[in-house]
Each structure stands twice: as structure tokens, then as C-alpha cells.
């Protein structure tokens, strides 16, 4: 037997018990007469005690020969600690050691197995199995497990079936780039790994399964960014005989359930914000509403005062930063530098300080009188001591720029607290998105998304204004998921393909099986997909999904631990009828 | 609103309620004055009633225009049925119809959506979304969902963490053929899809996760057989600080829990049979122990009586078929034909009838006296009325042949009841398996399986006799899963690789990261993987896993519904630096 107890469970009530524990040596303190060993496993840490003169001499010798991360099995008696540690669940007791058996030795790890390790990113990725021993990562994966259990519990309770869809599917040119898998049995042909189970979940609705979900891996061969992985996990869901409200209610129920059960937090009913309002007031389709600082448009107040930049701008828009009137020249320059960064791209920043004495000081005093600025302040609902920050330019661009500035100010003012959660629905997304490069409209969500019935008549004349029955779940400025009511009518689907520039042949070629399925009684249906990695990271209070994935890949899509991808043998290539051409 | 109730929930208590239902038209019976429509959804069927003279004329007209599988939304009042149907949960009521709205029409399906459909295999695969509407398949996927929920519930209760391991991993030549995935970002290099998460789960044990599980897709590019799919699902598990007994106890607990919760069956504690005994008494490492008919070896009784075939045979072995002494010449010929089939390959079959009058009649009366045959009968524990069936030849081959005959007799005698379940553990598998073609030993389980400590000394001299700490879970003659205690000691692992014919470089190249990980304190560990598709099929009383997978592939690895695999564009190939050479 390797253990009678884990390293996390002994308490003062167990005093006097003879126990066997197994685990890793976390730390050894040798104070001459006394030796303490911290023994660690998944469940916690238990302190082992040896005392010269009292403990067995060979056991003391064995303890002194231990190294960090040795795996040992020990035997001893639970005793009360002299100096208790209230920060450890096992802190009231220690084990009076009677024997030590080394189950496995360990080389000295290349970095310390501590909450704050000395290992760099690269090294920890290479030795991921050691990095995973650290408590922060252990807690992250435990949280991930707990969230998946509770997600399933909720959806099972709502009568959803988890149904596995295939991983070896078919490549489609629409959307992101597919990973493909050559088929040996079908010469020269390829499977593709799913970017999402979208078509399969719609087929399951056609098949009458009513409520489907799946925690499922998806794959996208995109150029990677810090927060992207080539394989990622979705909570994928679909419901039949529903309208948009049914889906929003079901999944805000899930989110509130998860916050309650996993974090014991009561989240109020989720606000619903129209896409147009999100853009108008936050410059973003994923607004962080943990704080206000809503956009205020100033065109009517700034016009015809001789300031050419504002006069010529499509949009003059700003935010009010409460209590920042005292910003120094240097601080204001930093904000200007911030908005001028190439990735933000504003030309400049106009500020107006609402001084405590009621006067204004701005970077455009030359053009605007104190009375003018008072009208701005009124519109901003600004108070003495506040700072107004104003940008101008092309409407779409300036909104994005101001959105970045708003988030930056939120950070500076400590308004984006990681332990505060403000989820909301963004609804009524546009159906189509103009692709400047391809000179055509793309489906903003995907080609099966249903337009709002009252907007269909605009498809021919003003396609950009057609709204979709599409919605995103946003939490703290992060898009956690999105979905839509689907088109279940074959004729409407064909109309959509026409507007997306698919010929009938192309549509048949790519989605023939789905269009065909729709001929046999497709029910009204819709669904949603939530990014599970992001959801877990958010619950963990972090924005790095990598810390919530057991074995992530680096930014080149490599797993540096197993050294993959790698070359394969020429026999394998031959069997697949493939040749690598460099 | 699409519905107030599902088609499976209305009861006599709901009489008088005004309801809205949505679903598919299963059947229409038009008896002139009365029209009944069966409306179906995932939850059941509800009967709708229209009566000429009483019901609204336009509604009657609408009902007459319906076709099979139309999707409709109806409104009406719950009334008591005149002639109740006790076989339907909703059989006491029907809906007095007031309105019908056609949500979607349907073409006539290419086969009937009935329990016993008229559609052939190919057609049903092509229209899988229609086949999935049939109740038997719906029940299968519901069972699958239930089993996955209960599996997770059990393992969660046993403190296992579900941890997702990567799908884009590294190709290894050992084992079956990998599916590979070309990497665009790493020129000329490939990922492989996992055949199992074996190395990752062992790394998770090294990382201290203690108890891991995952319901996970695995991939094998093998030539397919009826019961094989290129992608399949495993319940994959690993535990640290355990011995073989801990694993067997944990997972027989799971199996018994699943039988109890899903089928309400009490399964007794699982018997454990040594591999050697399974081969000796059943000729198979996956014996079906729903029935006896154990092998009886006869060499000592058959020798030196002038029957050359038996005298020269390495093994003479038979089974006793209770109550079959009355078999006709024709029936016996059929059995002989059966064992002579090329896939079984016996040369012939010796029978001995133990007649009701106590006399014997055999196909070897020329060589064996009544007294001789009596000694056989004693050894078989045969009774008057029984039939002894005897095969002979090379021991390994004849055992396999007799195993097939035993199963065949079990079928003929109705001893293999689909609603009886007899799980067992087969333990003490050989560590190594001789590969006649490669002239070397292979790992029978996999190269990380631990030999029994007491057998290690045989590795050099009698490698074939070394037993492993390996075990299979067998139910009703089907191998549901298998596992082993792993080697956690680096030196022993190196010794194993040597015996498996890996050079040190090859071992490093392929498993370097695992061997390296073992240097940093690997705990004793072991695990198991269960075939989830097979487990579900078994629970469903079938041996066709395909009926328990939503979207299976055919025997050529094709998904005929989506027509995959398929050609990809030359742009895709170029990006991947690949060329198809035919």
C-alpha cells in the first residue's frame, strides 16, 4: 500500500494515528537537531518531523539524503505541531517519522517548483510536466475540471444531450484555414479537422435531437497570437424550436449557474445591448461594462469654431475621466503617445481639464471659449476635477481608437478589477460585413445565420444595414461566445448564398449535404458556441489561456516538450502518396 | 413561442389544457370523417385529432395537405382519447386541433422513419440525419449520453480530474499507423493525431495529478473492419501511487455503478482470471463466461489407441455440449463445415454422442472403445444426452479453433443472452509477444508496461514467459478495455527498450521526453483505457458500434453523407508544401 491518507487530509482530529503518506519532497529544513520535510501531492502539503536522539538514526540519514522532488513513501505517527501554521489546512499537525522509502529519485529540476518560480517561459514549456506541479497551474486545471463538470451538469439538467461529432470531416474554403489530414485509403484525398461542429450540430437539429451540446476540440490553422492556440475547446450548443430569447435565457442561466456554483457569486440578469449601441457608446462589440466612461459625441458642439480638424472630422467623440483633472503635462503626453501608437493610429488627443475652481484648461483653448467648453462638460456630465479626452476622425476608426483609450483609462484608474464580473449580451449584429479586399460581403457570423425578418427587404438595396439574429456573450471586455438563430428555410438559405457571392454550384459543392438536409423538414433552430479556454481563464482571473491548458503550443504552433511537429518517414509519405516540395 | 409542451409529456391530468406543440408529422390517418396525425419529437409522439363538422374547415384542409416529416406547430386542447393506447406514455390523451402552421415542408424521405425502416445501409448512411430520426438510433445516442454522464459522475466522485490532452501531437512508428497533419507554419513537418493519450497521461502522473481521466477521441489509420472506426472514443484513465488491485477495484466499481445506474442491474464482484487459464479453458483472452462449456484436455486419454491424428497432435481438447446428443448427421456436418471454414482452419471435428441409454456413438469408434469413451465422458463431466466435440493439432491454433466452436455452440444453444452481462478481469498477460514477421518481440500491451517483479529475471533467458502487470476488462466475450501498471523506473524502462529492439538513440528519438520526465521523480502509476463505443453498444445489447455513433464512417473510412475525404485545392497543397504523387 502506497498511502493511507493523502498529503492534504490530516487534521488535529487524526492525532495519534499511524499513517503512510506518499508524495514529492517540496522542501527540507535541517536545523541540526531537527529536520522538517514538506511532503507534497495534488491534495496538499504535510510536514514531516525528525528529531535527533528521538527519531531512528537510519531514518534521519535517509532524510538527509533526500533531494527536492524525490518521490518517497513515509510511515509515522500524527502529532500536534508546536508552532502551528494557520495558512495550511494541515498546519496543525506534523508526522513523527518512523521510516522513509525512496520510490524514485529526481534530478534537480531546472527551475523551482514554487508559486513564484524562477523558470522562464521557454524552459517551463519544455519541462511542462514540472511546471504543472506548481500550485497555480494545478489550481487552474482543477478549475477547468470543475467548470466542465458544472457546465455538463447544467446542460444535462436542461435536457441537452451531449453528442460527439466527427473530427475527420471535410475541408471548406469559407472561414479560417483548415488543418487537413491525408487519407491513405482514399488516394490524394484529405479530411479536414473541424473549425467547429457547426454543420453537424445543425444536422442534429434536422435529425430531431432538440437540444445538443458538446465540449469539443476545434482546430484553426491561423497565424497565432498570444491568446490563440491551433487547437482550442468550445462549449458547443444548439436548440430547436426556439427563438433568440430562449437561447439567451438558457445560456445566461448557465453563466449565472457557473458563477454561483464555481465562484459562489450572484450575477444579476444579463443586460442586452444592441450592437449599434455598443459601437456608439463603447466603440467595441465587446464592451467592458465593469465601468462607465461611455462615449459622448460632440460634433454639434465643436463645429464652426475655427478648429479645422474637428470641423472636417466625421466624428468628434470623447470620454470623461473622473478625477483626472490633475494629470501632469507628462501624464497627458503619455496618453497622447498611447493613442498615437501605430496599432491604435490616432493623430492626436484633445484634452479638457475641468479644474476644481470651475475653470477649464484644454489643448484647444485657442479655438474654444470657457463657455464652449462648459457646453462640452455639460454633455459629458463632467464635474470639477474631471478630465475630458476627445478624439476625432473617420467614425469607425475613431471609435476603435477611443475604445482603446477608454480601456487604458480604465486600467489606470483601477476600474477593471479581475474579481468583478460584468457579463452582457450584445445583440442585433449586422448580418454582413464588407470585405474591402475581396470587394464583396462576407457573413459576419457564418452563412447560416438568419437575418431579422423585418430587415430582409434591405438585402438587395442596403445589405450592410441588414441585422442578424446574432448575439455575443461578452464578459469584462472579452468575447466569450457567440451564436445565432439559423436559417431553416432552403429558399432563404439560397438567397443568402447568392448575396455572399456563392454560385449555386459552389454552394452545392460545399454545403450540398446541409442544403439537402434542409429539404427534409428542418425545424427552426439556433445555437451558441462558447470559448471554453477563455471562460476558464476569465474565471481564474487571467487573460492568458495558455495557463489553463495542460499542454499548450507556443506561438509557432510547436509543442516544445514533445518536439512536434516533426518530420515523418519517407515510408509514411509514400503510403499517403505525398511529397514534400520545399 | 414554438411550444408549451413537448410531444412526450402530456398526460390525462392535462385534460382541458390549451397547448402548443411542435414536431414532425410521423403519420396521418384519414378515415373520412376523422383525421389523426401523429406528431413526433425527441421526447415522444402525441396524437392530434380532427373531426369533420366539428373542427375548423381550413384546419382540416391544412391537415390533409400535410406530408410525412413536415415540421408543424399546432394549437389545440388536450382531450381524453376514446380508445387509449397503453403502449404510449401519451396514449391516454389526444389534441383536439384548432390550428396548424407548417414551419417547414419535407420532401418524401428516401426511406421510412420507422423502427423497422425499409432503407438499406448505404442509403441510410447518406441520409444519416434522417436515419437518426428513428427511435432505435435516438435511444442509442441517448444511452451514449447517459453513460458518459454517469461515467464522469463516478470518476468525479472518485476524485479524478478530467484533463484535456492535445490532439496535434507527434508521430511514433511503434504501434498502429498514425493519421498525420501537415504543419503550414513548420515546413515539411507533421503533427500526428493521437492513437491514445498514453504518454500524456503518464506525464500527468509525473506532474502529480494523481488521478486523471478523459473521454477522448483517438485515431488509428488501420484497414477497417466492420467493428472498427478510424476515430473512436476512449474512457482514458491513470492513477498514481497505486498497485494493480487499486485499479481493478476502482474500475470494477465504475462498471458495476454504470450497470446499476443505467440498467438497474446488480453485477456481482468481478472474477479475475489469469491469462494462462483463459487460454487453457476458453482458448481466448476475452472469454465469454455467460456460459460454461470449459475446455477439457484429453491427450492422456487419447494417446496410443491407434488414432494417428490424436497421437501426433500437440493438443487434443474438447467441449461438452449439454443436451446435444440428438444432433443429426446434418447438424454434425454443419459443425464440421463451421470449424473447417478458412477463417477458423481446423482440419476436422471429432464428436462423441453420450446417448440417453448410456452408450456412446462417436466419429472415432474405430479407435476408441466404449470404455475409452467413458473415460472421456468422465473427464468432460458429460451426462447422457450430451455431445462431446473434440479438436486436435498445434496447441495455440487448436485453442483458437475450439474457442470459435464454443461460441458457435453457445449461440446455437441460446447461452449468449444479450440481456445477461458477465464481466471479468483477465490478468497476468504476457509482457512480450513474438513477432514472426519481424523476428523480434513486441510489447503485448505497450512499451511502458511493467513486468511482474518476480519475472524480471526471465527477461534474458525466457522473455516469452515474463508476465506483465497488465489486465483486460472483458464483458460477454468482448474486450472492453485494458491497462497496466507502468514502469516508473528509468533503468527498467531502458532495459525494456533494449528487449524490444530499440537502440538507445531510437528510444531517445521517440520517447525522449517521457524518459527525461522519468528522471524528475515519477511516481508508481498505472491506468486503463476503455473503448467507449463498444461499451455503449454492449449496454445497448448490440455488437455494432456504428449504430451508437452519430456520424460514423463506412468501411473505406468515408463519410458518405458529407462526401469526405475529398480533394483539396492546389492553393492549400502549395501552402502546405505538399504534392500528391499518384
Amino acid at each position: 500500500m502506497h498511502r493511507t491518507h493523502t498529503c492534504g487530509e490530516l487534521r488535529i482530529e487524526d492525532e495519534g494515528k499511524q499513517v503512510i503518506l506518499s508524495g514529492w519532497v517540496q522542501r527540507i529544513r535541517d536545523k541540526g537537531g531537527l529536520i522538517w520535510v514538506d511532503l507534497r501531492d495534488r491534495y496538499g502539503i504535510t510536514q514531516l518531523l525528525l528529531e535527533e536522539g528521538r527519531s531512528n538514526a537510519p531514518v534521519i540519514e535517509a532524510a538527509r539524503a533526500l533531494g527536492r522532488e524525490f518521490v518517497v513513501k513515509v510511515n509515522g505517527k500524527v502529532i500536534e505541531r508546536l508552532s502551528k501554521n494557520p495558512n495550511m489546512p494541515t498546519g496543525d499537525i506534523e508526522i513523527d517519522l518512523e521510516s522513509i522509502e525512496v520510490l524514485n529519485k529526481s534530478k534537480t529540476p531546472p527551475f523551482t517548483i514554487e508559486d513564484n518560480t524562477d523558470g522562464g517561459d521557454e524552459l517551463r514549456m519544455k519541462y511542462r510536466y514540472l511546471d504543472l506541479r506548481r500550485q497555480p497551474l494545478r489550481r487552474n486545471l482543477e478549475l477547468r475540471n470543475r467548470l466542465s463538470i458544472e457546465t455538463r451538469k447544467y446542460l444535462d439538467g436542461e435536457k441537452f444531450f451531449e453528442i460527439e461529432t466527427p473530427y475527420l470531416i471535410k475541408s471548406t474554403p469559407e472561414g479560417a484555414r483548415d488543418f487537413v489530414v491525408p487519407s491513405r485509403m482514399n488516394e490524394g484525398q484529405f479530411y479536414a479537422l473541424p473549425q467547429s461542429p457547426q454543420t453537424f450540430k445543425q444536422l442534429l437539429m434536422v435529425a430531431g435531437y432538440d437540444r445538443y451540446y458538446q465540449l469539443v476540440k476545434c482546430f484553426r490553422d491561423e497565424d497565432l497570437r498570444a491568446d490563440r492556440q491551433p487547437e482550442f475547446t468550445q462549449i458547443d450548443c444548439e436548440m430547436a424550436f426556439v427563438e433568440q430569447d430562449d437561447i439567451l435565457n438558457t445560456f445566461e442561466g448557465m453563466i449565472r449557474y457557473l458563477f454561483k456554483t464555481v465562484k459562489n457569486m450572484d450575477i444579476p440578469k444579463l443586460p442586452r445591448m444592441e450592437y449599434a449601441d455598443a459601437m456608439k457608446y463603447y466603440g467595441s462589440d465587446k464592451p467592458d461594462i465593469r465601468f462607465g466612461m461611455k462615449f459622448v459625441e460632440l460634433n454639434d458642439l465643436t463645429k464652426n469654431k475655427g478648429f479645422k480638424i474637428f470641423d472636417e472630422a466625421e466624428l468628434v467623440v470623447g470620454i470623461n475621466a473622473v478625477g483626472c483633472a490633475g494629470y501632469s503635462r507628462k501624464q497627458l503626453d503619455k496618453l497622447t503617445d498611447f493613442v498615437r501608437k501605430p496599432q491604435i493610429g490616432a493623430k492626436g488627443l484633445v484634452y479638457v481639464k475641468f479644474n476644481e475652481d470651475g475653470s477649464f484648461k484644454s489643448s484647444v483653448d485657442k479655438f474654444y471659449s470657457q463657455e464652449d467648453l462648459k457646453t462640452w462638460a455639460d454633455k459629458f456630465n463632467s464635474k470639477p476635477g474631471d478630465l475630458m479626452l476627445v478624439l476625432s476622425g473617420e467614425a469607425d476608426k475613431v471609435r476603435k481608437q477611443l475604445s482603446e483609450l477608454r480601456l487604458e483609462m480604465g486600467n489606470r484608474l483601477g476600474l477593471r478589477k479581475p474579481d468583478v464580473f460584468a457579463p452582457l449580451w450584445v445583440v442585433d449584429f449586422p448580418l454582413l460585413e464588407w470585405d474591402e479586399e475581396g470587394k464583396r460581403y462576407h457573413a459576419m457570423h457564418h452563412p447560416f445565420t438568419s437575418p431579422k425578418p423585418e430587415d430582409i427587404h434591405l438585402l438587395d438595396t442596403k445589405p450592410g444595414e441588414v441585422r442578424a439574429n446574432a448575439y455575443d456573450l461578452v464578459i469584462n471586455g472579452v468575447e466569450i461566445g457567440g451564436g445565432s438563430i439559423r436559417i431553416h428555410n432552403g429558399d432563404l438559405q439560397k438567397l443568402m448564398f447568392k448575396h455572399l457571392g456563392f454560385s449555386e454550384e459552389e454552394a452545392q459543392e460545399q454545403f450540398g449535404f446541409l442544403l439537402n438536409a434542409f429539404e427534409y423538414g428542418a425545424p427552426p433552430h439556433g445555437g451558441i458556441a462558447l470559448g471554453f479556454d477563455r471562460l476558464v481563464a476569465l474565471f481564474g482571473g487571467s487573460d492568458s489561456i495558455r495557463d489553463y491548458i495542460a499542454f499548450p503550443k507556443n506561438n509557432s504552433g510547436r509543442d516544445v516538450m514533445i518536439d512536434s511537429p516533426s518530420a515523418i518517414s519517407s515510408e509514411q509519405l509514400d503510403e499517403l502518396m505525398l511529397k514534400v516540395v520545399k
Side-chain angles (χ1 to χ4, degrees), chain A residues 24-26 40 65-71 102-113 126-127 129-130 133:
Chain A
W24 286 262
V25 173
Q26 174 78 22
R40 186 197 70 231
L66 293 177
R68 278 205 290 131
E69 301 304 318
F70 275 37
V71 186
V102 174
L103 298 173
N104 224 339
K105 294 187 175 193
S106 173
K107 290 205 249 180
T108 304
F111 48 84
T112 55
I113 313 294
K126 187 166 157 62
Y127 293 90
Y129 45 88
L130 296 180
R133 285 185 189 166

Side-chain angles (χ1 to χ4, degrees), chain A residues 210-278:
Chain A
D210 211 73
R211 296 184 160 205
Y212 143 93
Y213 81 100
Q214 194 182 186
L215 267 77
V216 63
K217 274 278 176 81
C218 299
F219 304 85
R220 264 174 225 176
D221 185 11
E222 288 175 339
D223 296 322
L224 299 172
R225 299 195 309 240
D227 200 27
R228 283 245 179 98
Q229 287 280 316
E231 50 178 305
F232 54 97
T233 305
Q234 272 186 198
I235 306 173
D236 192 52
C237 308
E238 197 81 4
M239 304 169 81
F241 299 117
V242 289
E243 284 149 8
Q244 177 166 309
D245 258 13
D246 300 310
I247 296 184
L248 300 193
N249 289 335
T250 302
F251 289 94
E252 81 176 63
M254 183 175 92
I255 285 296
R256 295 170 72 196
Y257 171 84
L258 291 178
F259 273 109
K260 185 66 194 170
T261 53
V262 177
K263 296 187 81 76
N264 196 25
M265 291 176 81
D266 290 296
I267 297 284
K269 231 184 121 35
L270 271 59
R272 296 178 189 183
M273 190 186 292
E274 286 178 22
Y275 171 86
D277 284 344

Side-chain angles (χ1 to χ4, degrees), chain A residues 40 42 52 68 84 177 206 250 262 286 290 315 350-351 359 372 430 434-435 440 473 542-543 548:
Chain A
R40 186 197 70 231
R42 190 188 88 184
E52 240 166 66
R68 278 205 290 131
K84 302 198 169 52
R177 207 182 276 107
V206 174
T250 302
V262 177
K286 38 179 195 280
R290 277 175 295 184
L315 181 66
V350 167
Y351 71 83
S359 68
D372 291 334
W434 180 251
D435 171 16
R440 69 174 181 106
L473 175 67
S542 162
D543 50 13
Y548 294 81

Side-chain angles (χ1 to χ4, degrees), chain A residues 253-309:
Chain A
M254 183 175 92
I255 285 296
R256 295 170 72 196
Y257 171 84
L258 291 178
F259 273 109
K260 185 66 194 170
T261 53
V262 177
K263 296 187 81 76
N264 196 25
M265 291 176 81
D266 290 296
I267 297 284
K269 231 184 121 35
L270 271 59
R272 296 178 189 183
M273 190 186 292
E274 286 178 22
Y275 171 86
D277 284 344
M279 296 311 289
K280 186 176 168 71
Y281 296 116
Y282 299 93
S284 166
D285 58 2
K286 38 179 195 280
D288 184 346
I289 59 166
R290 277 175 295 184
F291 64 108
M293 225 188 268
K294 281 163 83 168
F295 290 10
V296 172
E297 300 185 358
L298 297 175
N299 291 53
D300 51 342
L301 300 180
T302 57
K303 269 230 154 69
N304 302 323
K305 303 282 180 173
F307 188 40
K308 217 174 140 189
I309 293 176

Side-chain angles (χ1 to χ4, degrees), chain A residues 62-78:
Chain A
R64 290 207 161 115
L66 293 177
R68 278 205 290 131
E69 301 304 318
F70 275 37
V71 186
V72 297
K73 173 169 141 183
V74 299
N75 196 320
K77 189 174 283 183
V78 182

Side-chain angles (χ1 to χ4, degrees), chain A residues 21-283:
Chain A
L21 301 181
S22 285
W24 286 262
V25 173
Q26 174 78 22
R27 204 154 65 120
I28 307 167
R29 281 164 299 157
D30 189 343
K31 306 277 186 192
L34 289 169
I35 305 173
W36 292 276
V37 179
D38 281 352
L39 193 66
R40 186 197 70 231
D41 65 12
R42 190 188 88 184
Y43 310 92
I45 288 177
T46 298
Q47 181 167 292
L48 316 176
L49 174 72
L50 292 123
E51 195 173 354
E52 240 166 66
R54 201 168 55 79
S55 303
N56 212 319
V59 181
I60 291 185
E61 201 179 324
R64 290 207 161 115
L66 293 177
R68 278 205 290 131
E69 301 304 318
F70 275 37
V71 186
V72 297
K73 173 169 141 183
V74 299
N75 196 320
K77 189 174 283 183
V78 182
I79 55 174
E80 186 174 359
R81 273 207 215 180
L82 280 182
S83 78
K84 302 198 169 52
N85 181 346
N87 300 320
M88 281 174 72
T90 62
D92 287 352
I93 58 98
E94 57 195 345
I95 309 296
D96 187 14
L97 221 56
E98 291 163 24
S99 78
I100 296 180
E101 182 188 341
V102 174
L103 298 173
N104 224 339
K105 294 187 175 193
S106 173
K107 290 205 249 180
T108 304
F111 48 84
T112 55
I113 313 294
E114 303 280 353
D115 288 10
N116 291 307
T117 178
D118 58 356
D121 263 4
E122 272 293 303
L123 198 63
R124 287 190 292 115
M125 286 283 272
K126 187 166 157 62
Y127 293 90
R128 184 71 173 178
Y129 45 88
L130 296 180
D131 201 23
L132 285 170
R133 285 185 189 166
R134 297 191 308 114
Q135 294 294 312
L137 280 171
R138 210 239 335 113
R139 274 195 296 265
N140 292 353
L141 293 191
E142 186 168 357
L143 172 66
R144 187 176 180 114
N145 173 59
R146 189 49 38 206
L147 269 171
S148 74
I149 291 273
E150 294 299 340
T151 297
R152 286 190 163 98
K153 199 179 281 177
Y154 176 85
L155 292 171
D156 190 51
E158 295 287 318
K159 294 202 168 63
F160 283 76
F161 281 171
E162 184 160 31
I163 300 176
E164 295 167 62
T165 53
Y167 279 84
L168 296 173
I169 65 165
K170 188 177 180 165
S171 189
T172 54
E174 189 74 352
R177 207 182 276 107
D178 287 320
F179 280 106
V180 296
V181 182
S183 165
R184 180 181 55 88
M185 301 221 284
N186 301 272
E187 287 179 17
Q189 299 191 330
F190 293 75
Y191 302 99
L193 299 178
Q195 296 185 29
S196 91
Q198 183 64 34
T199 47
F200 289 96
K201 69 176 175 177
Q202 293 196 243
L203 289 173
L204 286 170
M205 293 305 104
V206 174
Y209 282 75
D210 211 73
R211 296 184 160 205
Y212 143 93
Y213 81 100
Q214 194 182 186
L215 267 77
V216 63
K217 274 278 176 81
C218 299
F219 304 85
R220 264 174 225 176
D221 185 11
E222 288 175 339
D223 296 322
L224 299 172
R225 299 195 309 240
D227 200 27
R228 283 245 179 98
Q229 287 280 316
E231 50 178 305
F232 54 97
T233 305
Q234 272 186 198
I235 306 173
D236 192 52
C237 308
E238 197 81 4
M239 304 169 81
F241 299 117
V242 289
E243 284 149 8
Q244 177 166 309
D245 258 13
D246 300 310
I247 296 184
L248 300 193
N249 289 335
T250 302
F251 289 94
E252 81 176 63
M254 183 175 92
I255 285 296
R256 295 170 72 196
Y257 171 84
L258 291 178
F259 273 109
K260 185 66 194 170
T261 53
V262 177
K263 296 187 81 76
N264 196 25
M265 291 176 81
D266 290 296
I267 297 284
K269 231 184 121 35
L270 271 59
R272 296 178 189 183
M273 190 186 292
E274 286 178 22
Y275 171 86
D277 284 344
M279 296 311 289
K280 186 176 168 71
Y281 296 116
Y282 299 93

Side-chain angles (χ1 to χ4, degrees), chain A residues 170-173 199 202-203 206 447-448 490 493-494 497 502-520:
Chain A
K170 188 177 180 165
S171 189
T172 54
T199 47
Q202 293 196 243
L203 289 173
V206 174
F448 313 113
Q493 187 65 66
K494 278 176 198 153
F497 279 134
F502 282 81
S503 73
E504 225 165 280
E505 293 71 39
E506 284 167 337
Q508 266 303 326
E509 163 82 20
Q510 282 179 46
F511 303 108
F513 58 97
L514 190 61
L515 296 178
N516 207 20
F518 281 178
E519 305 278 346
Y520 291 96

